Coordinates of all heavy atoms in Angstrom, one line a residue:
Y135 N -41.1 -6.6 64.7 CA -41.7 -7.6 65.6 C -42.6 -6.8 66.5 O -42.1 -6.1 67.4 CB -40.6 -8.2 66.4 CG -39.6 -9.1 65.6 CD1 -38.3 -8.6 65.4 CD2 -40.0 -10.3 65.2 CE1 -37.4 -9.4 64.7 CE2 -39.1 -11.1 64.5 CZ -37.8 -10.7 64.3 OH -36.9 -11.5 63.6
I138 N -41.5 -3.5 67.8 CA -40.0 -3.3 67.6 C -39.6 -3.3 66.1 O -40.0 -4.2 65.4 CB -39.2 -4.5 68.3 CG1 -39.5 -4.5 69.8 CG2 -37.7 -4.3 68.0 CD1 -38.9 -5.6 70.5
N139 N -38.9 -2.2 65.7 CA -38.3 -2.2 64.4 C -37.0 -2.8 64.4 O -36.0 -2.1 64.8 CB -38.2 -0.7 63.9 CG -39.5 -0.1 63.6 OD1 -40.5 -0.7 63.2 ND2 -39.6 1.2 64.0
A140 N -36.9 -4.1 64.1 CA -35.6 -4.8 64.2 C -34.7 -4.2 63.0 O -33.5 -4.0 63.2 CB -35.7 -6.3 64.1
V141 N -35.3 -4.0 61.9 CA -34.6 -3.5 60.7 C -35.5 -2.4 60.1 O -36.7 -2.7 59.8 CB -34.4 -4.6 59.7 CG1 -33.9 -4.0 58.4 CG2 -33.4 -5.6 60.2
G158 N -22.0 -3.9 63.6 CA -23.0 -3.2 64.5 C -23.0 -3.8 65.8 O -22.6 -5.0 66.0
P159 N -23.4 -3.0 66.9 CA -23.4 -3.6 68.2 C -24.5 -4.7 68.3 O -25.3 -4.8 67.4 CB -23.8 -2.4 69.1 CG -24.3 -1.3 68.1 CD -23.8 -1.6 66.8
N160 N -24.5 -5.4 69.4 CA -25.5 -6.4 69.6 C -26.9 -5.8 69.6 O -27.1 -4.7 70.1 CB -25.3 -7.1 71.0 CG -24.1 -8.0 70.9 OD1 -23.7 -8.6 69.9 ND2 -23.4 -8.1 72.0
G161 N -27.8 -6.5 68.9 CA -29.2 -6.0 68.8 C -29.4 -5.0 67.7 O -30.5 -4.5 67.5
A162 N -28.4 -4.8 66.9 CA -28.5 -3.7 65.8 C -29.4 -4.2 64.7 O -29.9 -3.3 64.0 CB -27.1 -3.4 65.3
G163 N -29.5 -5.5 64.5 CA -30.3 -6.0 63.4 C -29.6 -6.8 62.3 O -30.1 -7.1 61.3
K164 N -28.3 -7.2 62.7 CA -27.5 -7.9 61.7 C -28.1 -9.3 61.4 O -28.3 -9.6 60.2 CB -26.1 -8.1 62.3 CG -25.4 -6.8 62.7 CD -24.0 -7.1 63.2 CE -23.9 -7.9 64.5 NZ -24.5 -7.1 65.7
S165 N -28.4 -10.1 62.4 CA -28.9 -11.4 62.2 C -30.2 -11.4 61.5 O -30.5 -12.2 60.6 CB -29.0 -12.2 63.5 OG -27.7 -12.4 64.1
T166 N -31.1 -10.4 61.9 CA -32.4 -10.3 61.2 C -32.2 -10.1 59.7 O -32.8 -10.7 58.9 CB -33.2 -9.2 61.8 OG1 -33.3 -9.4 63.2 CG2 -34.6 -9.0 61.3
T167 N -31.3 -9.1 59.4 CA -31.1 -8.8 58.0 C -30.5 -10.0 57.2 O -30.9 -10.3 56.1 CB -30.0 -7.6 57.9 OG1 -30.5 -6.5 58.6 CG2 -29.9 -7.2 56.4
E205 N -26.1 -17.6 62.7 CA -25.5 -17.3 64.0 C -25.5 -18.6 64.9 O -24.5 -18.9 65.5 CB -26.2 -16.2 64.7 CG -25.6 -15.6 65.9 CD -26.2 -14.3 66.3 OE1 -27.5 -14.2 66.1 OE2 -25.5 -13.5 66.9
D280 N -22.7 -15.2 59.6 CA -23.2 -14.4 60.7 C -22.3 -14.6 62.0 O -22.3 -15.7 62.6 CB -24.6 -14.7 61.1 CG -25.3 -13.7 61.9 OD1 -24.6 -12.7 62.4 OD2 -26.5 -13.8 62.2
E281 N -21.5 -13.7 62.3 CA -20.6 -13.7 63.4 C -19.8 -15.0 63.5 O -19.8 -15.7 64.6 CB -21.3 -13.4 64.7 CG -22.1 -12.1 64.7 CD -21.9 -11.2 65.8 OE1 -20.9 -11.3 66.5 OE2 -22.8 -10.3 66.0
S310 N -20.8 -10.7 59.2 CA -21.2 -9.8 60.3 C -20.3 -10.0 61.5 O -19.8 -11.0 61.8 CB -22.7 -10.0 60.7 OG -22.8 -11.1 61.5
I327 N -24.3 -0.8 60.9 CA -25.7 -0.8 61.2 C -25.9 -0.5 62.7 O -25.2 -1.0 63.6 CB -26.4 -2.1 60.8 CG1 -27.8 -2.2 61.2 CG2 -25.6 -3.3 61.3 CD1 -28.6 -3.4 60.7
R442 N -35.3 4.0 70.0 CA -36.0 3.8 68.7 C -37.3 4.5 68.7 O -38.1 4.4 69.6 CB -36.3 2.3 68.5 CG -35.1 1.7 67.8 CD -35.3 0.3 67.7 NE -34.0 -0.3 68.0 CZ -33.7 -1.5 67.8 NH1 -34.5 -2.4 67.3 NH2 -32.5 -2.0 68.1
Ligands
LIG184 P1 -27.9 -8.5 66.0 O1 -27.7 -9.7 65.2 O2 -27.3 -7.3 65.3 O3 -27.4 -8.6 67.4 P2 -30.7 -9.0 65.8 O4 -31.0 -9.0 64.3 O5 -30.6 -10.4 66.4 O6 -29.5 -8.1 66.1 O7 -31.9 -8.2 66.6 C1 -32.3 -7.0 66.2 C2 -33.5 -6.5 67.1 O8 -34.6 -7.3 66.9 C3 -33.1 -6.7 68.6 O9 -33.7 -5.6 69.3 C4 -33.8 -8.0 69.0 O10 -34.2 -8.0 70.3 C5 -35.0 -8.0 68.1 N1 -35.5 -9.3 67.7 C6 -34.8 -10.2 67.0 N2 -35.5 -11.4 66.8 C7 -36.7 -11.2 67.4 C8 -37.9 -12.0 67.5 N3 -38.0 -13.2 67.0 N4 -38.9 -11.4 68.3 C9 -38.8 -10.2 68.8 N5 -37.8 -9.4 68.6 C10 -36.7 -9.8 68.0

Side-chain angles (χ1 to χ4, degrees):
Y135 292 107
I138 298 178
N139 294 323
V141 171
N160 289 327
K164 302 181 296 295
S165 297
T166 304
T167 306
E205 194 167 29
D280 195 358
E281 306 229 22
S310 78
I327 174 172
R442 273 175 223 192

